[in-house]
Amino acid sequence: DKTCLNSRQWYTCTPHTRIYHGHYTSKCMFSGKECNGHGKCECGECKCTTDGYSGKFCHHCPYCDKCADYLPCVQCLVGYVKEDGTKVEGRLQEDCPVCFDRARQVEPTTLREEEVVDGFTCTHKVDDCEYLYFYQDDLSVQDTTRTILYVNQEPDCGPISVIWIIVGLILAIVLLGIIIICCWKCITMYKDKKKRKKKKKNTRTFMR
C-alpha cells in the first residue's frame, strides 16, 4: 500500500523512496490550480478536502453553484458592461478560448429558465436584459471534465411595464389629436381662402 507522510516538502511514497512534493504537484493541476483548489496533491494524486467535490482533480461537484466559473465565457460570447459604463460587444465562440478552461464544449440553446429540466441555471445581466446559461456534468466520467455549457444568446428583457404602455397610449392619442386638429385647420383655411377668392371675383364682376 502507498502511504504518504508529509515532512516539510518531502513525501515518503514507499518505504525506500522519498519524493519532492513539487515533482508530483504538476500531475494534480487543473485549471491552473492544485486539485482545482479543492484538494491536496499527495504522491501525484488529488485528495479532495472540500465537501461535495470529487473526481481525479476534485473538479466534479454536481450540486455546487459554479455560475461564476462560467461567467467569463458568457461575457465573452454575449458581451458585458464595464464598471465605467462602457459596453463590450460579444464575440464568436472561436474567439473565446476562456470558454474551454472549464467546459468540454459550449452549445447554443433557446430554452428559458422554466424550461430547463436538468442543469444548474444562471443569468448574466447586460443593461436591462438577462442572458440565461446553464451547465450539466456527466457524472459517469471521473477522469476529466465533461461539463457542457449551454448559452442562450437571445436575451430576456422582461415584460413591458404597464405604466409605460399607458404613457405610450396617451402620447399616441395626443399625437393623433394634434394631427387631426392640424388637418382640420388646413382644410378650414383652404375653404376660407377659396370663399374669399370667390367673393372677390364676384365683387369685381358686380362693379363692372
Side-chain angles (χ1 to χ4, degrees):
D1 293 336
K2 182 188 296 183
T3 58
C4 296
L5 302 175
N6 187 1
S7 177
R8 294 183 180 178
Q9 289 296 316
W10 294 90
Y11 282 97
T12 302
C13 295
T14 68
H16 307 290
T17 307
R18 298 177 72 205
I19 305 294
Y20 182 59
H21 174 62
H23 175 71
Y24 271 113
T25 302
S26 60
K27 296 184 178 181
C28 299
M29 300 302 290
F30 184 86
S31 296
K33 299 178 182 179
E34 181 180 335
C35 298
N36 197 34
H38 298 290
K40 294 182 178 180
C41 186
E42 297 180 4
C43 297
E45 294 181 358
C46 287
K47 303 297 182 183
C48 303
T49 56
T50 305
D51 291 341
Y53 283 85
S54 62
K56 183 177 180 179
F57 302 105
C58 303
H59 59 283
H60 281 295
C61 187
Y63 303 109
C64 294
D65 181 355
K66 294 183 283 188
C67 294
D69 292 344
Y70 300 110
L71 181 58
C73 170
V74 178
Q75 289 178 326
C76 183
L77 291 173
V78 304
Y80 63 98
V81 179
K82 294 182 177 179
E83 292 183 359
D84 61 1
T86 305
K87 186 174 181 180
V88 179
E89 297 296 331
R91 293 181 285 177
L92 297 175
Q93 187 177 134
E94 53 264 31
D95 297 326
C96 297
V98 68
C99 288
F100 303 100
D101 287 346
R102 290 185 177 273
R104 177 172 66 88
Q105 65 187 76
V106 180
E107 295 289 343
T109 180
T110 57
L111 295 179
R112 294 299 179 187
E113 187 170 4
E114 62 275 7
E115 299 173 315
V116 178
V117 178
D118 183 21
F120 202 109
T121 58
C122 319
T123 55
H124 166 51
K125 191 170 184 179
V126 180
D127 295 331
D128 294 325
C129 299
E130 286 188 342
Y131 291 87
L132 173 75
Y133 62 102
F134 62 96
Y135 54 88
Q136 297 175 338
D137 289 331
D138 185 353
L139 300 180
S140 64
V141 180
Q142 294 293 324
D143 292 337
T144 183
T145 177
R146 296 284 292 179
T147 304
I148 304 176
L149 177 64
Y150 297 88
V151 182
N152 190 337
Q153 299 192 36
E154 294 296 327
D156 181 4
C157 298
I160 301 175
S161 174
V162 176
I163 296 177
W164 287 111
I165 294 177
I166 295 174
V167 171
L169 288 174
I170 292 174
L171 291 176
I173 293 172
V174 171
L175 182 61
L176 182 61
I178 292 174
I179 293 174
I180 292 174
I181 292 173
C182 289
C183 291
W184 175 79
K185 190 70 176 177
C186 289
I187 293 172
T188 303
M189 290 177 63
Y190 174 76
K191 289 183 176 180
D192 289 345
K193 186 176 180 181
K194 194 173 181 180
K195 286 181 180 180
R196 286 196 299 269
K197 189 175 181 181
K198 186 176 181 180
K199 186 177 181 180
K200 189 175 181 180
K201 185 178 180 181
N202 291 336
T203 303
R204 287 180 179 176
T205 303
F206 177 76
M207 290 180 64
R208 288 179 183 176

